Amino acid sequence: MGYMEDHSPNWIEAELRQLDAAGLRRTLKTQAGPQGAIIEVAGRGLINFGSNDYLGLAGDSRLADAAVVAADKEGWGSGASPLVTGRSTSHQRLEEHLAQFEGTEAALLFSTGFAANMGTIASLAGRGDLILSDERNHASIIDGCRLSRAEVFIYPHRDTDAVAVRLKAANGFRRRLIVTDSLFSMDGDCAPLPALAGLAERYDTMLLVDEAHASGVFGERGRGLCEQFGVEESVTARVGTLSKGLGSLGGFVVGSQQLIDYLVNRARPYVYSTAMPAAVAAAAIASLDIVRDEPHRRRELLRRAGQLRTTLRENGWQVGEGPGPIIPVIIGDPDETMELSARLADAGFFVPGIRPPTVPDGRSLLRISLSYLHSEEMIAGLIAVLANPQ
Ligand SMILES: *Cc1c(COP(=O)(O)O)cnc(C)c1O
């Protein structure tokens, strides 16, 4: 068989020790109270630069109120998958709201963005197909590619030349699919969406764009980077999440009515998994309304993100490229990264250190995640501590 049998009495313990030794063991934290600019971890209030709550909606009482009203009317559990009894009036309304917000024919809700990617990718591609996937794509995209059983070509980060070369020689495949994050979750940079859209059209290839970190944040109407780059019409399937900028929970796919009808029949995490509670859908409707009615949140967030990037660079930090609220400060070594993160916590700032396998070896980083809720003083405080972290 080629495999060594493993006779160690406790191989799990050995694996954990190995993670410890490499400085890569992760442990859980628990925080008390709602999400916001300040969170309570281990009994201490920390200024929170760690969540993906870019617009400050996760703790907004309008979401919680909408959920309470819906739970009162529709109860809590959904009871079954959406195809059985799980799809309530609130689910349907949210899908209609999403299609309207995104300017597409239809939308489909999944329990999480992770499930939306896995289900959609594995439904669009299968044996005999080719998927082209950016090397820094999110884990849910990677797992969707693996699950699909298609041949997967992993191209160097943002390298559209590599995509073009591979597509030129891809005649033997039944179908082709390019998949990419729009805003990369750890690097904070953008996919080359116009070039990818052009290649998709030229080579009769489907394009799936995951807007998880861009939904609500970019674009005139807050739809994301496809809107900002003007490529929405060229995208076969846009995946998004309600769990980040939108402050709630759940994933979604938007596109043509045919695409959605097909996914309802084929996407296994949709067909075989229980629908989210109706109250969760109701909270997400409230957050879409806020994104529509309060565009100053995203504008102010992007302005402050640009300023923070500039200041950190002026102070000598290596800061990732990118336009948005994910601001990676690249340290390199995992131990050094975690030490800096711990020193920031001592000073009252929660800034998570990100290590392999989430980022490539040698690219451990502090991931500063900016929120609309951060005051100028909080941001200035972070800059000051980083300038003198002892
Ligand atoms: C977080 C994330 C997801 C998963 O979304 P959830 O709703 O949290 O499951 C998918 N894609 C990307 C790029 C993400 O960052």
mmCIF file with all atom_site columns, all heavy atoms in Angstrom, residues 39-65:
data_model
loop_
_atom_site.group_PDB
_atom_site.id
_atom_site.type_symbol
_atom_site.label_atom_id
_atom_site.label_alt_id
_atom_site.label_comp_id
_atom_site.label_asym_id
_atom_site.label_entity_id
_atom_site.label_seq_id
_atom_site.pdbx_PDB_ins_code
_atom_site.Cartn_x
_atom_site.Cartn_y
_atom_site.Cartn_z
_atom_site.occupancy
_atom_site.B_iso_or_equiv
_atom_site.pdbx_formal_charge
_atom_site.auth_seq_id
_atom_site.auth_comp_id
_atom_site.auth_asym_id
_atom_site.auth_atom_id
_atom_site.pdbx_PDB_model_num
ATOM 1   N N   . ILE A 1 39 ? -14.586 44.280 22.339 1.00 0.00 ? 39 ILE A N   1
ATOM 2   C CA  . ILE A 1 39 ? -15.114 42.971 22.720 1.00 0.00 ? 39 ILE A CA  1
ATOM 3   C C   . ILE A 1 39 ? -14.457 42.562 24.029 1.00 0.00 ? 39 ILE A C   1
ATOM 4   O O   . ILE A 1 39 ? -13.376 43.044 24.381 1.00 0.00 ? 39 ILE A O   1
ATOM 5   C CB  . ILE A 1 39 ? -14.848 41.886 21.649 1.00 0.00 ? 39 ILE A CB  1
ATOM 6   C CG1 . ILE A 1 39 ? -13.370 41.857 21.272 1.00 0.00 ? 39 ILE A CG1 1
ATOM 7   C CG2 . ILE A 1 39 ? -15.741 42.091 20.438 1.00 0.00 ? 39 ILE A CG2 1
ATOM 8   C CD1 . ILE A 1 39 ? -13.012 40.657 20.431 1.00 0.00 ? 39 ILE A CD1 1
ATOM 9   N N   . GLU A 1 40 ? -15.143 41.652 24.728 1.00 0.00 ? 40 GLU A N   1
ATOM 10  C CA  . GLU A 1 40 ? -14.612 41.214 26.007 1.00 0.00 ? 40 GLU A CA  1
ATOM 11  C C   . GLU A 1 40 ? -14.043 39.818 25.845 1.00 0.00 ? 40 GLU A C   1
ATOM 12  O O   . GLU A 1 40 ? -14.751 38.875 25.515 1.00 0.00 ? 40 GLU A O   1
ATOM 13  C CB  . GLU A 1 40 ? -15.735 41.229 27.042 1.00 0.00 ? 40 GLU A CB  1
ATOM 14  C CG  . GLU A 1 40 ? -15.212 41.155 28.457 1.00 0.00 ? 40 GLU A CG  1
ATOM 15  C CD  . GLU A 1 40 ? -16.340 40.980 29.451 1.00 0.00 ? 40 GLU A CD  1
ATOM 16  O OE1 . GLU A 1 40 ? -17.359 41.690 29.345 1.00 0.00 ? 40 GLU A OE1 1
ATOM 17  O OE2 . GLU A 1 40 ? -16.196 40.105 30.326 1.00 0.00 ? 40 GLU A OE2 1
ATOM 18  N N   . VAL A 1 41 ? -12.742 39.695 26.031 1.00 0.00 ? 41 VAL A N   1
ATOM 19  C CA  . VAL A 1 41 ? -12.077 38.393 25.951 1.00 0.00 ? 41 VAL A CA  1
ATOM 20  C C   . VAL A 1 41 ? -11.389 38.153 27.281 1.00 0.00 ? 41 VAL A C   1
ATOM 21  O O   . VAL A 1 41 ? -10.627 39.001 27.750 1.00 0.00 ? 41 VAL A O   1
ATOM 22  C CB  . VAL A 1 41 ? -11.032 38.371 24.806 1.00 0.00 ? 41 VAL A CB  1
ATOM 23  C CG1 . VAL A 1 41 ? -10.393 36.995 24.702 1.00 0.00 ? 41 VAL A CG1 1
ATOM 24  C CG2 . VAL A 1 41 ? -11.674 38.765 23.482 1.00 0.00 ? 41 VAL A CG2 1
ATOM 25  N N   . ALA A 1 42 ? -11.675 36.982 27.871 1.00 0.00 ? 42 ALA A N   1
ATOM 26  C CA  . ALA A 1 42 ? -11.084 36.617 29.166 1.00 0.00 ? 42 ALA A CA  1
ATOM 27  C C   . ALA A 1 42 ? -11.244 37.745 30.186 1.00 0.00 ? 42 ALA A C   1
ATOM 28  O O   . ALA A 1 42 ? -10.307 38.107 30.896 1.00 0.00 ? 42 ALA A O   1
ATOM 29  C CB  . ALA A 1 42 ? -9.609  36.240 28.997 1.00 0.00 ? 42 ALA A CB  1
ATOM 30  N N   . GLY A 1 43 ? -12.428 38.320 30.226 1.00 0.00 ? 43 GLY A N   1
ATOM 31  C CA  . GLY A 1 43 ? -12.727 39.311 31.250 1.00 0.00 ? 43 GLY A CA  1
ATOM 32  C C   . GLY A 1 43 ? -12.157 40.702 30.981 1.00 0.00 ? 43 GLY A C   1
ATOM 33  O O   . GLY A 1 43 ? -12.310 41.604 31.792 1.00 0.00 ? 43 GLY A O   1
ATOM 34  N N   . ARG A 1 44 ? -11.497 40.858 29.820 1.00 0.00 ? 44 ARG A N   1
ATOM 35  C CA  . ARG A 1 44 ? -10.899 42.172 29.518 1.00 0.00 ? 44 ARG A CA  1
ATOM 36  C C   . ARG A 1 44 ? -11.516 42.762 28.267 1.00 0.00 ? 44 ARG A C   1
ATOM 37  O O   . ARG A 1 44 ? -11.709 42.063 27.275 1.00 0.00 ? 44 ARG A O   1
ATOM 38  C CB  . ARG A 1 44 ? -9.407  42.000 29.228 1.00 0.00 ? 44 ARG A CB  1
ATOM 39  C CG  . ARG A 1 44 ? -8.556  41.861 30.456 1.00 0.00 ? 44 ARG A CG  1
ATOM 40  C CD  . ARG A 1 44 ? -7.092  41.933 30.049 1.00 0.00 ? 44 ARG A CD  1
ATOM 41  N NE  . ARG A 1 44 ? -6.718  43.204 29.485 1.00 0.00 ? 44 ARG A NE  1
ATOM 42  C CZ  . ARG A 1 44 ? -5.763  43.364 28.556 1.00 0.00 ? 44 ARG A CZ  1
ATOM 43  N NH1 . ARG A 1 44 ? -5.130  42.328 28.072 1.00 0.00 ? 44 ARG A NH1 1
ATOM 44  N NH2 . ARG A 1 44 ? -5.462  44.571 28.107 1.00 0.00 ? 44 ARG A NH2 1
ATOM 45  N N   . GLY A 1 45 ? -11.774 44.048 28.297 1.00 0.00 ? 45 GLY A N   1
ATOM 46  C CA  . GLY A 1 45 ? -12.262 44.726 27.099 1.00 0.00 ? 45 GLY A CA  1
ATOM 47  C C   . GLY A 1 45 ? -11.091 45.010 26.165 1.00 0.00 ? 45 GLY A C   1
ATOM 48  O O   . GLY A 1 45 ? -10.088 45.589 26.577 1.00 0.00 ? 45 GLY A O   1
ATOM 49  N N   . LEU A 1 46 ? -11.200 44.570 24.929 1.00 0.00 ? 46 LEU A N   1
ATOM 50  C CA  . LEU A 1 46 ? -10.152 44.835 23.934 1.00 0.00 ? 46 LEU A CA  1
ATOM 51  C C   . LEU A 1 46 ? -10.763 45.557 22.748 1.00 0.00 ? 46 LEU A C   1
ATOM 52  O O   . LEU A 1 46 ? -11.890 45.251 22.336 1.00 0.00 ? 46 LEU A O   1
ATOM 53  C CB  . LEU A 1 46 ? -9.521  43.527 23.440 1.00 0.00 ? 46 LEU A CB  1
ATOM 54  C CG  . LEU A 1 46 ? -8.765  42.670 24.450 1.00 0.00 ? 46 LEU A CG  1
ATOM 55  C CD1 . LEU A 1 46 ? -8.251  41.402 23.771 1.00 0.00 ? 46 LEU A CD1 1
ATOM 56  C CD2 . LEU A 1 46 ? -7.608  43.447 25.066 1.00 0.00 ? 46 LEU A CD2 1
ATOM 57  N N   . ILE A 1 47 ? -10.019 46.493 22.189 1.00 0.00 ? 47 ILE A N   1
ATOM 58  C CA  . ILE A 1 47 ? -10.475 47.138 20.961 1.00 0.00 ? 47 ILE A CA  1
ATOM 59  C C   . ILE A 1 47 ? -10.293 46.125 19.844 1.00 0.00 ? 47 ILE A C   1
ATOM 60  O O   . ILE A 1 47 ? -9.218  45.552 19.662 1.00 0.00 ? 47 ILE A O   1
ATOM 61  C CB  . ILE A 1 47 ? -9.703  48.442 20.704 1.00 0.00 ? 47 ILE A CB  1
ATOM 62  C CG1 . ILE A 1 47 ? -9.977  49.392 21.878 1.00 0.00 ? 47 ILE A CG1 1
ATOM 63  C CG2 . ILE A 1 47 ? -10.156 49.074 19.393 1.00 0.00 ? 47 ILE A CG2 1
ATOM 64  C CD1 . ILE A 1 47 ? -9.205  50.680 21.837 1.00 0.00 ? 47 ILE A CD1 1
ATOM 65  N N   . ASN A 1 48 ? -11.387 45.887 19.130 1.00 0.00 ? 48 ASN A N   1
ATOM 66  C CA  . ASN A 1 48 ? -11.481 44.705 18.284 1.00 0.00 ? 48 ASN A CA  1
ATOM 67  C C   . ASN A 1 48 ? -11.094 44.994 16.828 1.00 0.00 ? 48 ASN A C   1
ATOM 68  O O   . ASN A 1 48 ? -11.885 45.538 16.069 1.00 0.00 ? 48 ASN A O   1
ATOM 69  C CB  . ASN A 1 48 ? -12.935 44.199 18.368 1.00 0.00 ? 48 ASN A CB  1
ATOM 70  C CG  . ASN A 1 48 ? -13.222 43.061 17.422 1.00 0.00 ? 48 ASN A CG  1
ATOM 71  O OD1 . ASN A 1 48 ? -12.304 42.389 16.951 1.00 0.00 ? 48 ASN A OD1 1
ATOM 72  N ND2 . ASN A 1 48 ? -14.501 42.839 17.154 1.00 0.00 ? 48 ASN A ND2 1
ATOM 73  N N   . PHE A 1 49 ? -9.888  44.592 16.461 1.00 0.00 ? 49 PHE A N   1
ATOM 74  C CA  . PHE A 1 49 ? -9.470  44.687 15.061 1.00 0.00 ? 49 PHE A CA  1
ATOM 75  C C   . PHE A 1 49 ? -9.396  43.292 14.448 1.00 0.00 ? 49 PHE A C   1
ATOM 76  O O   . PHE A 1 49 ? -8.535  43.020 13.617 1.00 0.00 ? 49 PHE A O   1
ATOM 77  C CB  . PHE A 1 49 ? -8.117  45.400 14.949 1.00 0.00 ? 49 PHE A CB  1
ATOM 78  C CG  . PHE A 1 49 ? -8.200  46.891 15.162 1.00 0.00 ? 49 PHE A CG  1
ATOM 79  C CD1 . PHE A 1 49 ? -7.924  47.448 16.408 1.00 0.00 ? 49 PHE A CD1 1
ATOM 80  C CD2 . PHE A 1 49 ? -8.581  47.733 14.127 1.00 0.00 ? 49 PHE A CD2 1
ATOM 81  C CE1 . PHE A 1 49 ? -8.009  48.826 16.612 1.00 0.00 ? 49 PHE A CE1 1
ATOM 82  C CE2 . PHE A 1 49 ? -8.668  49.109 14.326 1.00 0.00 ? 49 PHE A CE2 1
ATOM 83  C CZ  . PHE A 1 49 ? -8.383  49.654 15.566 1.00 0.00 ? 49 PHE A CZ  1
ATOM 84  N N   . GLY A 1 50 ? -10.308 42.406 14.902 1.00 0.00 ? 50 GLY A N   1
ATOM 85  C CA  . GLY A 1 50 ? -10.206 41.017 14.467 1.00 0.00 ? 50 GLY A CA  1
ATOM 86  C C   . GLY A 1 50 ? -11.417 40.465 13.747 1.00 0.00 ? 50 GLY A C   1
ATOM 87  O O   . GLY A 1 50 ? -11.330 39.436 13.099 1.00 0.00 ? 50 GLY A O   1
ATOM 88  N N   . SER A 1 51 ? -12.556 41.116 13.842 1.00 0.00 ? 51 SER A N   1
ATOM 89  C CA  . SER A 1 51 ? -13.736 40.488 13.243 1.00 0.00 ? 51 SER A CA  1
ATOM 90  C C   . SER A 1 51 ? -13.914 40.962 11.805 1.00 0.00 ? 51 SER A C   1
ATOM 91  O O   . SER A 1 51 ? -13.234 41.882 11.357 1.00 0.00 ? 51 SER A O   1
ATOM 92  C CB  . SER A 1 51 ? -14.985 40.811 14.057 1.00 0.00 ? 51 SER A CB  1
ATOM 93  O OG  . SER A 1 51 ? -15.462 42.080 13.706 1.00 0.00 ? 51 SER A OG  1
ATOM 94  N N   . ASN A 1 52 ? -14.828 40.326 11.095 1.00 0.00 ? 52 ASN A N   1
ATOM 95  C CA  . ASN A 1 52 ? -15.110 40.722 9.709  1.00 0.00 ? 52 ASN A CA  1
ATOM 96  C C   . ASN A 1 52 ? -16.351 41.602 9.639  1.00 0.00 ? 52 ASN A C   1
ATOM 97  O O   . ASN A 1 52 ? -16.989 41.706 8.592  1.00 0.00 ? 52 ASN A O   1
ATOM 98  C CB  . ASN A 1 52 ? -15.322 39.478 8.842  1.00 0.00 ? 52 ASN A CB  1
ATOM 99  C CG  . ASN A 1 52 ? -14.131 38.549 8.892  1.00 0.00 ? 52 ASN A CG  1
ATOM 100 O OD1 . ASN A 1 52 ? -12.996 38.982 8.698  1.00 0.00 ? 52 ASN A OD1 1
ATOM 101 N ND2 . ASN A 1 52 ? -14.373 37.280 9.155  1.00 0.00 ? 52 ASN A ND2 1
ATOM 102 N N   . ASP A 1 53 ? -16.650 42.231 10.751 1.00 0.00 ? 53 ASP A N   1
ATOM 103 C CA  . ASP A 1 53 ? -17.876 43.021 10.871 1.00 0.00 ? 53 ASP A CA  1
ATOM 104 C C   . ASP A 1 53 ? -17.601 44.439 10.345 1.00 0.00 ? 53 ASP A C   1
ATOM 105 O O   . ASP A 1 53 ? -17.683 45.421 11.070 1.00 0.00 ? 53 ASP A O   1
ATOM 106 C CB  . ASP A 1 53 ? -18.258 43.036 12.366 1.00 0.00 ? 53 ASP A CB  1
ATOM 107 C CG  . ASP A 1 53 ? -19.525 43.805 12.656 1.00 0.00 ? 53 ASP A CG  1
ATOM 108 O OD1 . ASP A 1 53 ? -20.358 43.940 11.736 1.00 0.00 ? 53 ASP A OD1 1
ATOM 109 O OD2 . ASP A 1 53 ? -19.669 44.274 13.804 1.00 0.00 ? 53 ASP A OD2 1
ATOM 110 N N   . TYR A 1 54 ? -17.273 44.524 9.043  1.00 0.00 ? 54 TYR A N   1
ATOM 111 C CA  . TYR A 1 54 ? -16.735 45.761 8.475  1.00 0.00 ? 54 TYR A CA  1
ATOM 112 C C   . TYR A 1 54 ? -17.665 46.958 8.625  1.00 0.00 ? 54 TYR A C   1
ATOM 113 O O   . TYR A 1 54 ? -17.230 48.082 8.781  1.00 0.00 ? 54 TYR A O   1
ATOM 114 C CB  . TYR A 1 54 ? -16.400 45.559 6.993  1.00 0.00 ? 54 TYR A CB  1
ATOM 115 C CG  . TYR A 1 54 ? -15.493 44.385 6.765  1.00 0.00 ? 54 TYR A CG  1
ATOM 116 C CD1 . TYR A 1 54 ? -15.886 43.303 5.980  1.00 0.00 ? 54 TYR A CD1 1
ATOM 117 C CD2 . TYR A 1 54 ? -14.239 44.339 7.350  1.00 0.00 ? 54 TYR A CD2 1
ATOM 118 C CE1 . TYR A 1 54 ? -15.055 42.219 5.788  1.00 0.00 ? 54 TYR A CE1 1
ATOM 119 C CE2 . TYR A 1 54 ? -13.400 43.254 7.173  1.00 0.00 ? 54 TYR A CE2 1
ATOM 120 C CZ  . TYR A 1 54 ? -13.817 42.200 6.387  1.00 0.00 ? 54 TYR A CZ  1
ATOM 121 O OH  . TYR A 1 54 ? -13.003 41.123 6.210  1.00 0.00 ? 54 TYR A OH  1
ATOM 122 N N   . LEU A 1 55 ? -18.965 46.710 8.536  1.00 0.00 ? 55 LEU A N   1
ATOM 123 C CA  . LEU A 1 55 ? -19.896 47.834 8.574  1.00 0.00 ? 55 LEU A CA  1
ATOM 124 C C   . LEU A 1 55 ? -20.464 48.064 9.976  1.00 0.00 ? 55 LEU A C   1
ATOM 125 O O   . LEU A 1 55 ? -21.305 48.950 10.174 1.00 0.00 ? 55 LEU A O   1
ATOM 126 C CB  . LEU A 1 55 ? -21.037 47.609 7.577  1.00 0.00 ? 55 LEU A CB  1
ATOM 127 C CG  . LEU A 1 55 ? -20.595 47.457 6.116  1.00 0.00 ? 55 LEU A CG  1
ATOM 128 C CD1 . LEU A 1 55 ? -21.791 47.133 5.231  1.00 0.00 ? 55 LEU A CD1 1
ATOM 129 C CD2 . LEU A 1 55 ? -19.904 48.725 5.625  1.00 0.00 ? 55 LEU A CD2 1
ATOM 130 N N   . GLY A 1 56 ? -20.020 47.251 10.916 1.00 0.00 ? 56 GLY A N   1
ATOM 131 C CA  . GLY A 1 56 ? -20.502 47.426 12.288 1.00 0.00 ? 56 GLY A CA  1
ATOM 132 C C   . GLY A 1 56 ? -21.949 47.006 12.457 1.00 0.00 ? 56 GLY A C   1
ATOM 133 O O   . GLY A 1 56 ? -22.671 47.573 13.277 1.00 0.00 ? 56 GLY A O   1
ATOM 134 N N   . LEU A 1 57 ? -22.383 45.988 11.711 1.00 0.00 ? 57 LEU A N   1
ATOM 135 C CA  . LEU A 1 57 ? -23.789 45.583 11.772 1.00 0.00 ? 57 LEU A CA  1
ATOM 136 C C   . LEU A 1 57 ? -24.037 44.376 12.682 1.00 0.00 ? 57 LEU A C   1
ATOM 137 O O   . LEU A 1 57 ? -25.174 44.134 13.076 1.00 0.00 ? 57 LEU A O   1
ATOM 138 C CB  . LEU A 1 57 ? -24.310 45.283 10.356 1.00 0.00 ? 57 LEU A CB  1
ATOM 139 C CG  . LEU A 1 57 ? -24.318 46.484 9.411  1.00 0.00 ? 57 LEU A CG  1
ATOM 140 C CD1 . LEU A 1 57 ? -24.839 46.071 8.035  1.00 0.00 ? 57 LEU A CD1 1
ATOM 141 C CD2 . LEU A 1 57 ? -25.161 47.616 9.977  1.00 0.00 ? 57 LEU A CD2 1
ATOM 142 N N   . ALA A 1 58 ? -22.978 43.640 13.014 1.00 0.00 ? 58 ALA A N   1
ATOM 143 C CA  . ALA A 1 58 ? -23.191 42.400 13.779 1.00 0.00 ? 58 ALA A CA  1
ATOM 144 C C   . ALA A 1 58 ? -23.883 42.666 15.118 1.00 0.00 ? 58 ALA A C   1
ATOM 145 O O   . ALA A 1 58 ? -24.708 41.869 15.561 1.00 0.00 ? 58 ALA A O   1
ATOM 146 C CB  . ALA A 1 58 ? -21.864 41.669 13.991 1.00 0.00 ? 58 ALA A CB  1
ATOM 147 N N   . GLY A 1 59 ? -23.529 43.778 15.742 1.00 0.00 ? 59 GLY A N   1
ATOM 148 C CA  . GLY A 1 59 ? -24.137 44.094 17.028 1.00 0.00 ? 59 GLY A CA  1
ATOM 149 C C   . GLY A 1 59 ? -25.258 45.120 16.932 1.00 0.00 ? 59 GLY A C   1
ATOM 150 O O   . GLY A 1 59 ? -25.762 45.584 17.948 1.00 0.00 ? 59 GLY A O   1
ATOM 151 N N   . ASP A 1 60 ? -25.667 45.470 15.714 1.00 0.00 ? 60 ASP A N   1
ATOM 152 C CA  . ASP A 1 60 ? -26.702 46.500 15.530 1.00 0.00 ? 60 ASP A CA  1
ATOM 153 C C   . ASP A 1 60 ? -28.053 45.971 16.008 1.00 0.00 ? 60 ASP A C   1
ATOM 154 O O   . ASP A 1 60 ? -28.491 44.895 15.598 1.00 0.00 ? 60 ASP A O   1
ATOM 155 C CB  . ASP A 1 60 ? -26.775 46.874 14.033 1.00 0.00 ? 60 ASP A CB  1
ATOM 156 C CG  . ASP A 1 60 ? -27.575 48.144 13.801 1.00 0.00 ? 60 ASP A CG  1
ATOM 157 O OD1 . ASP A 1 60 ? -28.777 48.161 14.142 1.00 0.00 ? 60 ASP A OD1 1
ATOM 158 O OD2 . ASP A 1 60 ? -27.001 49.113 13.268 1.00 0.00 ? 60 ASP A OD2 1
ATOM 159 N N   . SER A 1 61 ? -28.708 46.750 16.863 1.00 0.00 ? 61 SER A N   1
ATOM 160 C CA  . SER A 1 61 ? -29.950 46.246 17.470 1.00 0.00 ? 61 SER A CA  1
ATOM 161 C C   . SER A 1 61 ? -31.055 46.062 16.435 1.00 0.00 ? 61 SER A C   1
ATOM 162 O O   . SER A 1 61 ? -31.988 45.295 16.648 1.00 0.00 ? 61 SER A O   1
ATOM 163 C CB  . SER A 1 61 ? -30.413 47.196 18.568 1.00 0.00 ? 61 SER A CB  1
ATOM 164 O OG  . SER A 1 61 ? -30.654 48.476 18.014 1.00 0.00 ? 61 SER A OG  1
ATOM 165 N N   . ARG A 1 62 ? -30.949 46.725 15.278 1.00 0.00 ? 62 ARG A N   1
ATOM 166 C CA  . ARG A 1 62 ? -32.002 46.548 14.263 1.00 0.00 ? 62 ARG A CA  1
ATOM 167 C C   . ARG A 1 62 ? -32.027 45.123 13.715 1.00 0.00 ? 62 ARG A C   1
ATOM 168 O O   . ARG A 1 62 ? -33.084 44.604 13.350 1.00 0.00 ? 62 ARG A O   1
ATOM 169 C CB  . ARG A 1 62 ? -31.811 47.561 13.132 1.00 0.00 ? 62 ARG A CB  1
ATOM 170 C CG  . ARG A 1 62 ? -32.133 48.987 13.567 1.00 0.00 ? 62 ARG A CG  1
ATOM 171 C CD  . ARG A 1 62 ? -31.749 50.000 12.524 1.00 0.00 ? 62 ARG A CD  1
ATOM 172 N NE  . ARG A 1 62 ? -30.303 50.184 12.459 1.00 0.00 ? 62 ARG A NE  1
ATOM 173 C CZ  . ARG A 1 62 ? -29.690 51.033 11.632 1.00 0.00 ? 62 ARG A CZ  1
ATOM 174 N NH1 . ARG A 1 62 ? -30.403 51.755 10.787 1.00 0.00 ? 62 ARG A NH1 1
ATOM 175 N NH2 . ARG A 1 62 ? -28.379 51.153 11.649 1.00 0.00 ? 62 ARG A NH2 1
ATOM 176 N N   . LEU A 1 63 ? -30.853 44.488 13.661 1.00 0.00 ? 63 LEU A N   1
ATOM 177 C CA  . LEU A 1 63 ? -30.814 43.091 13.210 1.00 0.00 ? 63 LEU A CA  1
ATOM 178 C C   . LEU A 1 63 ? -31.438 42.180 14.266 1.00 0.00 ? 63 LEU A C   1
ATOM 179 O O   . LEU A 1 63 ? -32.267 41.319 13.959 1.00 0.00 ? 63 LEU A O   1
ATOM 180 C CB  . LEU A 1 63 ? -29.368 42.655 12.916 1.00 0.00 ? 63 LEU A CB  1
ATOM 181 C CG  . LEU A 1 63 ? -28.831 42.967 11.512 1.00 0.00 ? 63 LEU A CG  1
ATOM 182 C CD1 . LEU A 1 63 ? -28.783 44.459 11.232 1.00 0.00 ? 63 LEU A CD1 1
ATOM 183 C CD2 . LEU A 1 63 ? -27.460 42.348 11.310 1.00 0.00 ? 63 LEU A CD2 1
ATOM 184 N N   . ALA A 1 64 ? -31.007 42.388 15.504 1.00 0.00 ? 64 ALA A N   1
ATOM 185 C CA  . ALA A 1 64 ? -31.533 41.557 16.591 1.00 0.00 ? 64 ALA A CA  1
ATOM 186 C C   . ALA A 1 64 ? -33.047 41.746 16.732 1.00 0.00 ? 64 ALA A C   1
ATOM 187 O O   . ALA A 1 64 ? -33.787 40.776 16.916 1.00 0.00 ? 64 ALA A O   1
ATOM 188 C CB  . ALA A 1 64 ? -30.812 41.893 17.897 1.00 0.00 ? 64 ALA A CB  1
ATOM 189 N N   . ASP A 1 65 ? -33.505 42.996 16.587 1.00 0.00 ? 65 ASP A N   1
ATOM 190 C CA  . ASP A 1 65 ? -34.950 43.258 16.689 1.00 0.00 ? 65 ASP A CA  1
ATOM 191 C C   . ASP A 1 65 ? -35.720 42.529 15.584 1.00 0.00 ? 65 ASP A C   1
ATOM 192 O O   . ASP A 1 65 ? -36.778 41.947 15.830 1.00 0.00 ? 65 ASP A O   1
ATOM 193 C CB  . ASP A 1 65 ? -35.242 44.763 16.597 1.00 0.00 ? 65 ASP A CB  1
ATOM 194 C CG  . ASP A 1 65 ? -34.749 45.516 17.833 1.00 0.00 ? 65 ASP A CG  1
ATOM 195 O OD1 . ASP A 1 65 ? -34.434 44.843 18.840 1.00 0.00 ? 65 ASP A OD1 1
ATOM 196 O OD2 . ASP A 1 65 ? -34.664 46.762 17.786 1.00 0.00 ? 65 ASP A OD2 1
#
